[in-house]
Amino acid sequence: ARLPRQAPFGQPGCAALLGHARDYVEAMWLMLQQDGQEDYVIASGEQHSVRELVEQAFRVAGIEIEWRGSGPTEVAVAVGGTISGQPAKGRTLVRIDPRYLRPTEVDTLLGDASKARVRLGRRPRVGFEALVAEMVKADLREAERDHLVKSSGYPVYAPHE
């Protein structure tokens, strides 16, 4: 994957639940092991904003960022770390993109998974920091692979949004 020079985002203040697919698949399996049918809410129980996700992702990549501005002019600027061996300080890495602003976006999403916790004995195994670290490291491995392919003279196929 080609890493963009700047990442476009919508509402960085919106809070949502993030969970690992392994945890959700395990929850589905546990539901199927029950004698009867019931409805369950499956949620991580952790709520994080898009802003926190971005900060953690850059932290995993070894880059510290600072948010500047507000609303549609808000940006995340590197205050430390390196990108491709070059100092990242002062580089704008995240910019709000109006295409991703949703006027009907809810500000917060939080699921109550207490029934699943009690009846299924289900608790998420992968926390927020570990989830973000796994995602970022996978993207960095893919970017490294693509760089190797391209530097060897072969085309790199980048998916579109």
Side-chain angles (χ1 to χ4, degrees):
R2 220 171 27 96
L3 297 178
R5 294 194 57 75
Q6 291 181 354
F9 276 88
Q11 286 101 324
C14 287
L17 296 167
L18 297 171
H20 199 289
R22 284 192 304 259
D23 286 331
Y24 291 106
V25 170
E26 179 186 35
M28 289 184 271
W29 183 83
L30 287 169
M31 285 186 257
L32 291 171
Q33 305 315 302
Q34 303 305 300
D35 289 331
Q37 299 174 354
E38 289 193 56
D39 291 331
Y40 294 93
V41 172
I42 304 301
S44 68
E46 291 186 51
Q47 187 180 47
H48 297 276
S49 68
V50 173
R51 185 179 285 108
E52 288 175 279
L53 172 67
V54 170
E55 290 166 358
Q56 182 64 21
F58 278 111
R59 194 172 297 119
V60 170
I63 300 167
E64 289 299 318
I65 62 170
E66 177 180 275
W67 293 95
R68 298 180 183 165
S70 63
T73 62
E74 186 173 16
V75 295
V77 178
V79 294
T82 61
I83 298 173
S84 300
Q86 301 295 318
K89 188 173 183 177
R91 186 168 153 188
T92 299
L93 301 174
V94 177
R95 182 174 304 282
I96 303 302
D97 187 328
R99 293 178 301 169
Y100 297 108
L101 296 175
R102 297 183 287 199
T104 59
E105 181 72 74
V106 294
D107 290 332
T108 185
L109 293 172
L110 183 60
D112 179 4
S114 58
K115 179 179 174 184
R117 192 169 41 256
V118 171
R119 296 204 182 152
L120 303 176
R122 187 248 174 213
R123 289 188 183 276
R125 298 175 195 267
V126 182
F128 175 73
E129 288 82 11
L131 173 64
V132 175
E134 186 176 326
M135 293 185 327
V136 170
K137 289 174 183 176
D139 282 349
L140 291 174
R141 281 192 305 273
E142 188 177 344
E144 187 177 316
R145 182 207 61 212
D146 286 355
H147 175 72
L148 178 62
V149 168
K150 187 175 182 181
S151 66
S152 297
Y154 295 96
V156 174
Y157 299 100
H160 298 285
E161 288 181 9

